[in-house]
């Protein structure tokens, strides 16, 4: 686990915004995709013919939960919140997922700033900052760190809750297990180019959902040893940061709308291409990263389903 290069992070963020060529892919038929086909180390026709996934029937019956933990490496109350989120993830393995959002209601606040030599790592990214600053002043807002959302479910007029509410909300949602949208994914990664292709199938099960649905793909770093201010104001140089939000695929803070053009045989199909550096770079390691994909209501913000896709199995 290595500390990453801020310069590289900026360059990678710009790549996620710009590195796509519009192509027309014969499979699935009549679907226009924005993919960087040069990330495939071969003839793209071979990818389409031999490596494009075919989804079988989705047998999942469970609604999963995303905990978005809004945190900061100088926030003394944040380690306890992060421990709670991680414990909920472990207790409900495969059902609960965490995204550690290093951002405050004003974007990059005192808790997120870099200050060498004590706190040299920048955990922020442009999409995370955009999400934080939006929710800082809209849709109920959040007052500071630590705060979190549980599938962005509205409780008490706000989707943001203090950590003392997380456990009961998670338990309630798991018990109700109301599955309105189902998803499955497949990912092909090519170390020769550091390129990945993510393919998604989305099935809206509840016909009463009439609001626009959005789809978002977070890319997360599994873990990183770094600096953290602790509850006693001490400086922990060996703190394990987990599930660190490093940006969104295609640079889209709030994702994109699921449209009629994405639909075939009653289901939506969405595809992404992106670059992940390998261990030779002083940055991210593909085997220490994963993607979280979620579908949400673009009017209420509620997340109806979230799934995890590892980059390397």
């Amino acid at each position: 686990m290595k500390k990453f290069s801020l310069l590289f992070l900026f360059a990678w963020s710009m790549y996620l915004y710009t590195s796509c060529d519009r192509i027309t892919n014969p499979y699935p038929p009549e679907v226009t995709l924005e993919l960087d086909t040069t990330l495939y180390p071969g003839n793209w026709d071979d990818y389409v013919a031999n490596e494009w996934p075919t989804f079988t029937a989705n047998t999942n019956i469970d609604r999963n939960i995303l905990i978005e933990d809004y945190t900061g490496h100088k926030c003394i109350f944040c380690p306890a919140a992060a421990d709670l989120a991680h414990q909920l993830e472990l207790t409900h393995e495969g059902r609960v997922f965490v995204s550690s959002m290093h951002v405050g209601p004003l974007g990059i606040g005192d808790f997120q700033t870099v200050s060498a030599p004590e706190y040299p790592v920048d955990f922020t990214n442009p999409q995370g900052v955009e999400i934080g600053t939006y929710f800082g002043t809209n849709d109920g807002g959040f007052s500071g760190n630590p705060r979190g959302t549980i599938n962005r479910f509205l409780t008490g007029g706000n989707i943001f809750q203090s950590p003392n509410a997380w456990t009961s909300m998670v338990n309630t949602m798991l018990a109700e297990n109301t599955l309105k949208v189902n998803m499955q994914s497949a990912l092909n990664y090519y170390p020769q180019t550091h390129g990945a292709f993510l393919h998604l199938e989305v099935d809206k099960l509840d016909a009463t959902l009439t609001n626009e649905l959005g789809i978002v793909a977070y890319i997360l770093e599994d873990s990183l040893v770094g600096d953290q201010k602790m509850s006693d104001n001490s400086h922990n140089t060996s703190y394990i940061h987990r599930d660190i939000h490093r940006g969104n695929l295609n640079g889209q803070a709030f994702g994109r709308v699921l449209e009629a053009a994405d639909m075939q045989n009653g289901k939506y199909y969405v595809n992404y291409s992106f670059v992940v550096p390998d261990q030779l770079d002083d940055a991210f390691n593909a085997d220490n990263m994963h993607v979280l994909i979620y579908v949400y209501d673009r009017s209420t913000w509620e997340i109806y389903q979230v799934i995890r896709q590892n980059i390397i199995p």
Side-chain angles (χ1 to χ4, degrees), residues 137-158:
T137 56
N138 294 282
D139 294 283
F142 73 106
S143 56
N145 308 105
R147 284 293 186 275
T149 69
I150 309 299
N151 270 357
R152 295 184 182 167
F153 187 77
L154 187 69
T155 301
N158 203 317

Side-chain angles (χ1 to χ4, degrees), residues 65-210:
I65 296 172
L66 174 59
I67 301 174
E68 292 176 297
D69 175 16
Y70 286 72
T71 188
H73 60 174
K74 296 181 185 177
C75 167
I76 64 173
F77 299 111
C78 288
D83 288 345
L84 172 61
H86 184 58
Q87 186 57 53
L88 288 167
E89 187 176 39
L90 292 178
T91 301
H92 308 288
E93 186 176 2
R95 296 289 309 282
V96 174
F97 305 99
V98 176
S99 179
S100 297
M101 315 289 290
H102 286 255
V103 64
L106 299 178
I108 302 175
D110 291 340
F111 293 155
Q112 292 84 28
T113 55
V114 172
S115 56
E118 293 86 358
Y119 299 94
V121 178
D122 186 356
F123 290 96
T124 68
N125 64 81
Q127 293 84 57
V129 170
E130 184 177 348
I131 293 168
T133 53
Y134 175 85
F135 284 125
T137 56
N138 294 282
D139 294 283
F142 73 106
S143 56
N145 308 105
R147 284 293 186 275
T149 69
I150 309 299
N151 270 357
R152 295 184 182 167
F153 187 77
L154 187 69
T155 301
N158 203 317
I159 63 174
F160 282 83
Q161 310 296 327
S162 67
N164 59 22
W166 296 356
T167 300
S168 62
M169 289 184 67
V170 166
N171 289 338
T172 297
M173 200 167 291
L174 287 172
E176 292 175 347
N177 200 25
T178 306
L179 184 65
K180 297 182 178 182
V181 174
N182 218 353
M183 274 197 294
Q184 54 183 336
S185 64
L187 187 145
N188 295 319
Y189 172 68
Y190 303 96
Q192 306 96 309
T193 63
H194 305 176
F197 296 90
L198 173 65
H199 304 278
L200 302 165
E201 180 190 80
V202 181
D203 188 6
K204 185 172 75 170
L205 303 176
D206 188 342
T208 67
L209 298 180
T210 57

Side-chain angles (χ1 to χ4, degrees), residues 29-40:
E30 300 180 1
V31 174
T32 300
L33 307 173
E34 291 186 353
L35 296 175
D36 183 354
T37 61
T38 66
L39 297 178
Y40 179 64

Side-chain angles (χ1 to χ4, degrees), residues 19-67:
S19 64
C20 57
D21 298 319
R22 183 172 288 274
I23 63 166
T24 300
N25 192 324
Y27 183 86
E30 300 180 1
V31 174
T32 300
L33 307 173
E34 291 186 353
L35 296 175
D36 183 354
T37 61
T38 66
L39 297 178
Y40 179 64
N43 187 300
W44 181 248
D45 289 339
D46 291 337
Y47 183 91
V48 172
N50 303 311
E51 300 192 51
W52 195 281
T54 299
F55 291 106
T56 58
N58 191 346
T59 59
N60 174 64
I61 59 172
D62 293 320
R63 180 185 184 179
N64 300 329
I65 296 172
L66 174 59
I67 301 174

